[in-house]
Amino acid sequence: MENSRDQGRRELAAFLRARRGEIAPRQVGLPGGSRKVTGLRREEVAHRAGISVDYYTRLEQGRLPAPSGGVLDALAHALLLNLDQRDYLRSLADRAPARRRRPRQQSVPEPVLEFLRDLSATPAFVLGRFLDVLAWNDLTTELFTDFGALAEPERNYLRMVFLDPLMRERLPDWDYGARQCVSVLRMDAARYPSDPRLAALVAELTAKAPEFHHWWATHWVAAKTFGVKSVHHPKTGTLHLHWQILTVAQDPDQCLVVLPPADEESRANLALLSRRRRRH
């Protein structure tokens, strides 16, 4: 059976290969021309990072332990990694058993639950590790689904996005949002590589959702931050909502997702849905 250290080497190697394959030579001032490989050659990355070709090759083959912080920084520069990708690279390298993170029990603090209950005019919900939906308010149920009616293992935002046909109907920008979710899961996977919950989720989605299988293999990563989301509701049409991520102080693995309206029409439609929800 593959241990955590071997898994870390394999994931680090796959990430390096994926990023190298996406960099056009002209992005780093090299001539393009006819090439047998997509992206940069190994020797080009090694030269940019100031390391030997043999050392870099063995890293890409998963034959070496995680490199030092200085080498990681050099690789991040050589591969044009953004801040999220740099964090992911360092998480992959942090695989020493003594420092390996152990998952906490996912329990939403009572003050956060109280805050959710008080948000009657704004959809909001709490995500835990691997995008498990841990808590929600009534308007979130109105926008997406009745999370309380789902079995706990099915109460996962990523799983719903890929496997629930209703989510494809509700999210006009489904492709972008789904890929963003996969990128977020990659960040969590680097922190908790041996969690059986992660293994089960990835196995299920790989088997049932071809898009997930493709995007998971690209090793794209992104942190949960902010943006604008469109949600189509059969009663009001499309709502445009800001989404903002707030980390829960008591547990950094949890975040509060708040979805205030992005325009006046959406604000009025949210108010309509809120009144409708209260009547029922």
Side-chain angles (χ1 to χ4, degrees), residues 34 70 98 107 109 116:
S34 178
S107 178
L116 278 178

Side-chain angles (χ1 to χ4, degrees), residues 48-221:
R48 284 177 51 77
I51 58 179
S52 73
V53 177
D54 177 66
Y55 180 78
Y56 180 73
T57 299
R58 286 186 289 160
L59 276 178
E60 271 204 7
Q61 293 172 342
R63 294 164 52 201
L64 290 177
S68 67
V71 173
L72 290 175
D73 289 341
L75 289 172
H77 167 75
L79 295 169
L80 306 180
L81 301 188
N82 61 31
L83 291 178
D84 290 342
Q85 291 167 338
R86 286 171 183 256
D87 287 345
Y88 179 70
L89 180 66
R90 286 192 169 275
S91 292
L92 289 177
D94 184 20
R95 293 302 180 91
R99 294 180 293 168
R100 196 171 63 198
R101 299 169 177 85
R102 295 183 178 181
R104 305 178 185 181
Q105 180 68 32
Q106 298 197 106
S107 178
V108 181
E110 183 58 35
V112 177
L113 294 175
E114 187 65 32
F115 181 68
L116 278 178
R117 289 190 284 267
D118 288 344
L119 279 178
S120 60
T122 302
F125 57 102
V126 176
L127 290 176
R129 286 187 303 277
F130 315 133
L131 286 88
D132 283 338
V133 180
L134 305 181
W136 56 92
N137 66 0
D138 284 346
L139 260 185
T140 304
T141 297
E142 185 67 35
L143 283 185
F144 298 117
T145 193
D146 184 359
F147 296 105
L150 300 175
E152 190 171 340
E154 299 175 358
R155 209 176 293 156
N156 177 275
Y157 189 77
L158 179 70
R159 187 183 185 280
M160 291 171 56
V161 164
F162 280 96
L163 301 184
D164 186 347
L166 177 63
M167 293 295 280
R168 293 182 184 252
E169 296 175 10
R170 292 287 173 99
L171 301 175
D173 53 351
W174 183 89
D175 281 10
Y176 174 78
R179 179 165 181 172
Q180 189 77 6
C181 286
V182 176
S183 298
V184 169
L185 186 66
R186 268 286 174 201
M187 297 287 280
D188 284 353
R191 290 189 289 270
Y192 299 106
S194 303
D195 193 312
R197 169 69 175 147
L198 170 69
L201 183 61
V202 170
E204 180 184 23
L205 292 177
T206 297
K208 296 180 179 179
E211 300 102 329
F212 175 86
H213 179 66
H214 171 70
W215 288 328
W216 186 249
T218 67
H219 285 258
W220 270 102
V221 293

Side-chain angles (χ1 to χ4, degrees), residues 2-10 95-97 100 193-194:
E2 184 181 53
N3 61 37
S4 178
R5 190 183 300 277
D6 291 338
Q7 183 184 11
R9 293 180 182 183
R10 178 174 58 80
R95 293 302 180 91
R100 196 171 63 198
S194 303

